[in-house]
Amino acid sequence: MITKRQFDLLVLFAEDYSAHALSQRDIALKTDMSVGSVNSTIKKLNELGYLEDTKITSTGYEVLEHHRVKRAVFIAAGFGSRLVPITLNTPKPLIRVNHVRIIDTLLDAVLSAGIFEIYIVRGYLSEQFDQLLYKYPMIKFIENPIFNESNNISSAYCARYLFKNAYILEGDLLLHNPKLITRYQYESNYLGEYKERTDDWCFHAENNYIKKVAIGGLDCYQMYGISYWTEEDGARLVRHIESVYQAPGGKERFWDLVPLEYHINEYKIGVRNCTSKDIVEIDTFNELKALDKSYEVS
C-alpha cells in the first residue's frame, strides 16, 4: 500500500509527460508538498522500483492500476421541481446552459479521464435520455421505477452493485473544471468547498476527513454531489444502502447520508477541495437565467 504522497507523485509522473524535467521546487508546487518531502518521497519510490530517477516504471504503472477509477454512475432520476417551468418538459440534467446540456459537462470530463464504463440511473421522462446515445453510445441506463415516490436513495439502491472503484455523480451539476474528474483516486472522498458559513448541505472535517454532515454550518465544507468510492468502501455501501433502504422510512432518505451519517464510523472519507468556479449546482430557475440569458422572458 503506497502512501498518499507516493501516490500523488506517481500520478504526476504518469499523467504529465514533462514532469520528469521539472525541478523539485516545481514538483512541490504542483503536489502541495514541501521540497524536502518531494526529495524523500522520490528517493523512496526509486528504492521501491516505481521510479527510475523521475520516470515512472512499468511496476509504478502496475501500482497505480490499483487506484484506477473503473466506472462512473450518474444519479439522474429526479424531477427537479425547483427548476419549474423548464423541467416540466425536460429532465434537469438535459437542460442546456449556453447551448450545452448540463450532464454533458460531466460526461465529457469522465471520458477525458479515460473512464468509459458509464451508467445513468434515470426515471423522470426517462426516454429523453436516449438522445445522449448519439454522442455517448457507451452509456448504459438503469431504470428507477419508483423515483417519484422515494428520495434519491432509490437510485443508489438500483445501482448499488456498481459503486466499487466508481465516481457517483449527481447528473445536474454544471462542471466548469473537468480536471476534477481524474483517472486515479487514492481514497474515498467527496468534493467540497471551504466556507466560513453556509446554509447549504455541508460537512465538518478533521485532518481533511469528514466527521459530520449537516444542513448549514460554520467553518465547514459545502458539499457537492460528486464522490469516489474505493473497492472496499463500495462493497460496504452495498450492504449499508440495502439496510437503510429496507428500514422503515428508508425510501425517504438521501443516499449520501448512508455513509456520511448512518454508518459514518465505518468509513474514512476524505475531502477534495473545489470552488464555485469549478462546479455549479443550479437550484432555481432564477439561477439558470443568471447563467444563460436566453431563458429570460421579455
Side-chain angles (χ1 to χ4, degrees):
M1 179 68 176
I2 59 175
T3 68
K4 181 63 164 61
R5 287 177 177 174
Q6 291 169 352
F7 169 81
D8 288 341
L9 285 181
L10 284 178
V11 169
L12 174 65
F13 294 127
E15 299 281 82
D16 186 346
Y17 298 114
S18 64
H20 69 276
L22 295 173
S23 69
Q24 289 196 354
R25 186 172 297 278
D26 289 334
I27 293 172
L29 290 173
K30 282 181 170 288
T31 57
D32 196 26
M33 294 165 58
S34 69
V35 174
S37 294
V38 168
N39 180 56
S40 61
T41 305
I42 288 177
K43 181 180 179 181
K44 183 64 176 178
L45 289 170
N46 274 271
E47 291 173 356
L48 292 168
Y50 303 156
L51 291 180
E52 289 181 358
D53 294 326
T54 54
K55 291 186 178 180
I56 188 167
T57 65
S58 58
T59 306
Y61 278 111
E62 289 174 8
V63 170
L64 274 184
E65 194 63 27
H66 294 292
H67 297 275
R68 180 187 284 272
V69 182
K70 293 183 177 178
R71 62 187 62 86
V73 180
F74 288 81
I75 305 298
F79 170 43
S81 59
R82 290 184 291 180
L83 272 179
V84 169
I86 195 70
T87 50
L88 292 176
N89 299 304
T90 306
K92 187 178 176 183
L94 300 181
I95 292 171
R96 293 183 182 269
V97 180
N98 298 315
H99 309 293
V100 178
R101 289 174 301 213
I102 291 174
I103 199 171
D104 283 29
T105 64
L106 297 165
L107 287 166
D108 289 344
V110 165
L111 291 174
S112 293
I115 303 164
F116 302 104
E117 187 179 336
I118 300 172
Y119 301 86
I120 296 179
V121 185
R122 62 183 182 176
Y124 176 65
L125 297 177
S126 63
E127 70 284 351
Q128 291 198 21
F129 284 90
D130 288 345
Q131 66 185 269
L132 294 172
L133 295 173
Y134 292 101
K135 184 179 178 183
Y136 310 104
M138 73 293 296
I139 289 175
K140 296 181 176 65
F141 294 115
I142 298 171
E143 308 298 332
N144 179 354
I146 64 165
F147 73 91
N148 61 344
E149 55 189 80
S150 63
N151 219 317
N152 70 0
I153 193 173
S154 62
S155 290
Y157 185 82
C158 291
R160 64 194 184 281
Y161 292 110
L162 300 168
F163 279 27
K164 294 185 288 186
N165 299 114
Y167 283 117
I168 312 302
L169 309 98
E170 293 181 6
D172 58 358
L173 296 171
L174 185 67
L175 185 65
H176 292 305
N177 181 7
K179 292 183 179 180
L180 288 176
I181 307 300
T182 60
R183 187 185 307 265
Y184 304 104
Q185 285 290 332
Y186 184 71
E187 60 191 353
S188 298
N189 62 72
Y190 268 85
L191 284 179
E193 179 183 16
Y194 176 76
K195 296 281 189 178
E196 293 183 357
R197 179 188 184 95
T198 182
D199 296 323
D200 211 331
W201 279 98
C202 63
F203 31 71
H204 297 271
E206 293 179 11
N207 299 320
N208 219 43
Y209 289 98
I210 298 171
K211 297 299 180 183
K212 180 183 177 182
V213 67
I215 301 177
L218 304 174
D219 187 27
C220 58
Y221 290 87
Q222 183 171 318
M223 175 181 171
Y224 288 95
I226 296 179
S227 58
Y228 170 76
W229 302 93
T230 64
E231 183 172 0
E232 296 77 13
D233 285 343
R236 291 187 188 94
L237 279 171
V238 173
R239 303 192 308 271
H240 294 156
I241 289 171
E242 287 176 348
S243 65
V244 173
Y245 181 78
Q246 294 167 2
K251 293 181 177 61
E252 304 305 315
R253 309 298 185 187
F254 290 103
W255 94 261
D256 305 87
L257 294 182
V258 174
L260 292 178
E261 181 172 321
Y262 308 132
H263 293 277
I264 191 167
N265 292 330
E266 298 179 60
Y267 296 88
K268 188 176 183 181
I269 307 169
V271 179
R272 277 207 300 145
N273 286 285
C274 66
T275 73
S276 56
K277 293 181 179 179
D278 295 323
I279 188 168
V280 177
E281 184 172 5
I282 305 170
D283 287 328
T284 67
F285 190 51
N286 285 334
E287 290 175 356
L288 177 61
K289 290 191 292 185
L291 289 169
D292 187 338
K293 302 301 181 184
S294 68
Y295 289 102
E296 291 185 349
V297 180
S298 58

